[in-house]
Amino acid sequence: MKIHESAENYLEMILMLRERIGQVRSIDIVNEMGYTKPSVSIAMKRLRENGYIKMDSDGYITLLDTGLEIATEMYNRHKFLAQFLMAIGVSEEIALADACKIEHDISDESYQCLKKHFDHFKEM
């Protein structure tokens, strides 16, 4: 399933915040991503309408199955790509920033081959 990069970023951020702070509200996303409240509000509305998240009456956000699947895939890609880049000598700061960009554009075939290649060398 292909969605816009911005939606992937929001879903991934919800997952990351959930792991770090537990319950997530829109204001947490605003504070973490530096976006405006109206921008985040519009994005959350679209994610709700498309069945990726739900919000309770207190404004707490829950990832639904499809949202969780996308968020998990993006987060796993991000972590792997950052680790890979650091393993080949890229500084942590640059590796984390570049991984965020690459995770959305790399094909599944290239990603899987990179993982396979990297995992092979880790076993040696």
Side-chain angles (χ1 to χ4, degrees):
M1 147 186 356
K2 186 64 181 159
I3 64 172
H4 291 284
E5 181 178 329
S6 61
E8 291 174 343
N9 282 331
Y10 278 112
L11 293 170
E12 181 183 9
M13 180 55 60
I14 293 166
L15 178 62
M16 292 167 59
L17 286 168
R18 186 183 78 181
E19 287 184 359
R20 195 169 74 223
I21 63 173
Q23 295 182 314
V24 179
R25 293 179 303 157
S26 293
I27 193 65
D28 301 316
I29 298 166
V30 167
N31 293 334
E32 191 71 23
M33 297 180 89
Y35 298 157
T36 65
K37 288 179 186 180
S39 294
V40 172
S41 179
I42 290 167
M44 294 305 105
K45 179 181 178 199
R46 287 187 182 136
L47 291 174
R48 271 194 326 273
E49 291 172 348
N50 289 304
Y52 297 117
I53 66 167
K54 70 176 182 176
M55 294 179 85
D56 68 17
S57 59
D58 293 324
Y60 289 105
I61 301 166
T62 302
L63 290 166
L64 298 176
D65 289 343
T66 53
L68 180 59
E69 181 180 335
I70 293 166
T72 301
E73 177 64 23
M74 287 299 106
Y75 192 38
N76 288 340
R77 281 179 178 227
H78 181 90
K79 291 187 294 187
F80 166 76
L81 290 164
Q83 181 183 18
F84 179 82
L85 292 169
M86 287 185 282
I88 61 172
V90 177
S91 70
E92 182 177 6
E93 181 180 351
I94 299 297
L96 290 170
D98 285 349
C100 192
K101 297 171 192 167
I102 296 167
E103 71 192 33
H104 302 284
D105 292 325
I106 191 169
S107 70
D108 191 55
E109 179 180 355
S110 293
Y111 172 68
Q112 294 302 327
C113 286
L114 276 174
K115 275 186 60 174
K116 183 178 176 182
H117 182 77
F118 188 68
D119 290 344
H120 172 74
F121 280 102
K122 282 179 26 181
E123 294 172 0
M124 296 176 97

